[in-house]
Amino acid sequence: MDNLLAGLIGALLGLTGVALGGWLQRRGEHQRWLRDQKLRAAIDFIGATGAVYDRRRRLPSAGPTGTDEVAEWARAQDGRSALYLLCDEKTIEVAEALITRVRRIEPATNGSHDGEAISLLRDLVRRLRLELGAGLGK
């Protein structure tokens, strides 16, 4: 009877270990998947927002058609939506401040950059690095 009880306890411990290992593996895979999704969303949002920023800084006669601008805004909106679904509130606030600032940018005849927009972009990149676990590096 003692051998049977020891065997059952051993089997139960083994099954518990397998279940715990499987759960930890699934959790790790989910965290990697979530990080990849956040990274893709960030790349899409930053790339599209940068394209819109560049277009808005240029004089209206200096670039492609309004259809291109609509496509860039749509891409920025898709990235923004993904950030809303995946990222924490502080990251979303910075992304929202950036897109709001980009909307208000006027063409620059002297080619200068908008310091506030650049600062907001840097803040967004810092927040995303924190969320993605990449630290604050430069």
Side-chain angles (χ1 to χ4, degrees), residues 16-36:
T16 302
V18 167
L20 182 60
W23 178 78
L24 288 172
Q25 183 175 359
R26 282 190 307 276
R27 183 170 180 229
E29 287 173 5
H30 177 73
Q31 291 300 321
R32 283 187 294 280
W33 174 85
L34 185 59
R35 183 180 187 281
D36 289 345

Side-chain angles (χ1 to χ4, degrees), residues 54-100:
D54 286 340
R55 177 178 302 284
R56 294 191 61 89
R57 279 185 48 250
R58 286 184 277 155
L59 296 175
S61 63
T65 68
T67 305
D68 293 332
E69 185 172 357
V70 170
E72 289 167 354
W73 276 111
R75 207 173 113 223
Q77 182 58 40
D78 288 347
R80 181 175 165 209
S81 296
L83 291 178
Y84 265 83
L85 291 170
L86 299 169
C87 294
D88 71 25
E89 190 173 324
K90 290 182 181 182
T91 302
I92 292 167
E93 288 172 4
V94 176
E96 195 61 35
L98 174 61
I99 198 74
T100 300

